[in-house]
Amino acid sequence: MNKLTVAFTLIAFAAPALHAQESHAQDPGDSSRLSQSAYNIQQNESRMRANWYNDLQHNDHQTSVNSLANLNKLRSKLAEAWQALGLSPAAAKAVAAAYQPNFSLNSRRASLQGKSDEEIAALIQSSLAKKDYLLANQTLIDFQTKEMRLGTETSPDGQH
């Protein structure tokens, strides 16, 4: 919720309570106004909780929709990368479809540190041969990330 919504909500809670105090100070015997004010406060709190819950549900749903669209884009780019490496379109799609970000973040990874491009290619080929597509995808992503980092660390003339 933004700050303006929070401010209005606080005012909505405080106004009936302040009104109840004023009316109580003016007429101490009038308990019906005080009980009505308490009822109004309770109703406002209930509405606020319901709105907050509905907002959370909507945000969770929107996040889910967005993440699914992003996953489809990511798998599409992975399929393109696999095709660029020589896989057929059908095989590239099958390998890319196996990519699952939640599992990949916690999965075992082949260390690429200190390995040549040929050694990394052998790791990828070995993963593909074993049909360990999660590892193959993650190794390809790690390799491309490493290449991008090396590209940003190098100046245009090729020197660090």
Side-chain angles (χ1 to χ4, degrees):
M1 282 193 257
N2 62 26
K3 292 179 184 178
L4 186 60
T5 305
V6 172
F8 282 127
T9 304
L10 290 175
I11 290 170
F13 284 147
L18 291 175
H19 178 68
Q21 285 179 349
E22 286 177 14
S23 65
H24 183 66
Q26 293 170 359
D27 187 9
D30 192 6
S31 64
S32 67
R33 279 193 234 169
L34 185 59
S35 65
Q36 182 63 38
S37 179
Y39 175 77
N40 289 343
I41 289 172
Q42 183 182 18
Q43 291 299 309
N44 285 340
E45 288 176 347
S46 178
R47 273 188 230 105
M48 190 176 97
R49 277 193 299 273
N51 287 339
W52 179 72
Y53 180 74
N54 288 338
D55 287 346
L56 281 178
Q57 278 188 321
H58 174 73
N59 290 341
D60 285 349
H61 175 73
Q62 192 60 43
T63 300
S64 175
V65 168
N66 291 346
S67 64
L68 183 59
N70 289 339
L71 179 59
N72 289 336
K73 287 179 190 174
L74 176 63
R75 286 179 174 161
S76 173
K77 292 295 182 183
L78 268 173
E80 289 175 19
W82 285 118
Q83 285 180 24
L85 292 175
L87 265 62
S88 70
K93 278 187 176 183
V95 173
Y99 182 69
Q100 297 176 3
N102 295 340
F103 294 125
S104 294
L105 291 174
N106 299 320
S107 70
R108 58 188 163 57
R109 289 182 151 161
S111 174
L112 305 183
Q113 192 169 5
K115 290 193 168 45
S116 68
D117 290 353
E118 292 79 19
E119 290 171 316
I120 295 170
L123 282 171
I124 291 173
Q125 288 173 349
S126 171
S127 299
L128 289 172
K130 295 177 190 172
K131 297 187 187 256
D132 188 353
Y133 298 148
L134 279 174
L135 182 60
N137 282 315
Q138 194 58 55
T139 305
L140 178 61
I141 290 170
D142 290 346
F143 174 70
Q144 289 183 340
T145 303
K146 175 184 161 192
E147 290 297 306
M148 286 186 339
R149 283 191 192 130
L150 288 176
T152 59
E153 294 173 0
T154 322
S155 64
D157 62 359
Q159 297 180 359
H160 292 289

